Amino acid sequence: MTDQRANRSRRQFLAASTAGLAAASHAIAQGGATEPAAAAQPTRSGGKLPVKSISSANGLRTTRRAYEMMLRGADTLDASVAGVTIVEDDPRDTSVGYGGLPNELGVVQLDAAVMHGPTHQAGCVASLERIRNPAKVAQLVLQQTDHVLLVGPGALKFAKAHGFKEEDLLTDRARKIWLRWKQTMSDRDDWLPPAEGIEESDPQAAAILRNRPTGTIHCASMNAEGDISCVTTTSGLAFKIDGRVGDSPIIGAGLYVDNEIGSCGSTGRGEANLQNQCSFAAVELMRSGMTPVEAGLEVLRRVAKHTVPRLRNDQGEPDFGLKFYLLRKDGMHGGVSMRGPTKFAVTDEKGTRLETCTTLY
Ligand code: ASP
């Protein structure tokens, strides 16, 4: 159910979350085509909550994979990680994994975090180079260490110790976009633009060069028992300073789950999220009875209030993108965005589709 359409009272939500009652209504597709869900199959234990996976808009294949795995009884974190692995492996997605846009030195540095609701355990990696699946490495940090976060060369050694293969993650396309950025970023350095840049033949690259992008995938999944887990994985801000880490691998910012309440994860300007600990705050707001969209809009308002003047537009509004994807224990979900129009991906018994984020501006 989208919370624009459903309006549970706090008492109803708390009763539903403790008694494990089914959600009252189903999600309504608000945009994009709806693909049929996998044929209904009995769930692992016949739980009563709606099996559901939500993601950023680049995750239609992700939510579908996670949903299908949960119907077959997979753990919610295994399902979410398997879902985002599809996008990490896809060279066409320049926001994550193999093919992600590099830092200012032309090196792809990846961040990822996972959080498992049933055990409240987390694992994270930051500034990981040469390993295309940081979400899987983050899951191993959760499973195989007494720590939460590994960074840089240590994270790489840890991944290699577990059999991950090193490779060059910079695709030719990402390299050309980065090179064009270097050639055109200043007319006072020694780089001269060639007669024809990649933007002449690649409209998406042209858009990236016009508006320096952020990009990430977040996925949260809930099974019929109401167990929730989530993952966020990214190549971070394109052309970032070497070693810059955003919100994605930070628990409470890039993602957070409390298995009794729900989850929240983000994409967009990581610095704004880090300064406001939005995912943790949003889950706490849902604990107090807010719907997912209410909680998401409230954290966006906090971000807006705390935004410094140099990051505001002529109307005084934050001049950057930031989105949250929220899933509540009773099955209610929502996506919110600082500005629109923008979508997020959902798979549940109604199928796989894009829904519209509620925007603050
Ligand atoms: N949040 C990510 C970061 O700041 C980037 C993004 O989601 O676009 O690294």
Side-chain angles (χ1 to χ4, degrees), residues 214-216 234 236-237 244 246-248 267-268 270:
T214 49
T216 293
T234 188
L237 179 66
R244 175 266 188 190
D247 57 332
S248 305
T267 61

Side-chain angles (χ1 to χ4, degrees), residues 170-237:
L170 188 66
T171 58
D172 212 39
R173 179 165 177 259
R175 182 189 58 75
K176 284 180 180 162
I177 296 172
W178 163 78
L179 185 63
R180 190 64 171 158
W181 170 77
K182 267 190 97 66
Q183 290 166 336
T184 53
M185 66 182 289
S186 167
D187 57 8
R188 294 190 183 190
D189 62 21
D190 299 330
W191 292 81
L192 299 177
E196 192 175 306
I198 186 172
E199 66 271 31
E200 311 292 334
S201 55
D202 183 339
Q204 207 200 343
I208 289 169
L209 287 160
R210 265 196 312 276
N211 190 6
R212 185 178 163 207
T214 49
T216 293
I217 184 163
H218 169 76
C219 173
S221 304
M222 185 173 92
N223 65 16
E225 290 74 37
D227 287 334
I228 305 170
S229 296
C230 52
V231 52
T232 303
T233 174
T234 188
S235 52
L237 179 66

Side-chain angles (χ1 to χ4, degrees), residues 256-258 261-264 278-287:
Y256 187 72
V257 56
D258 184 321
I261 305 298
S263 74
C264 178
C278 295
S279 290
F280 177 76
V283 171
E284 290 305 299
L285 290 167
M286 289 194 286
R287 187 193 304 280

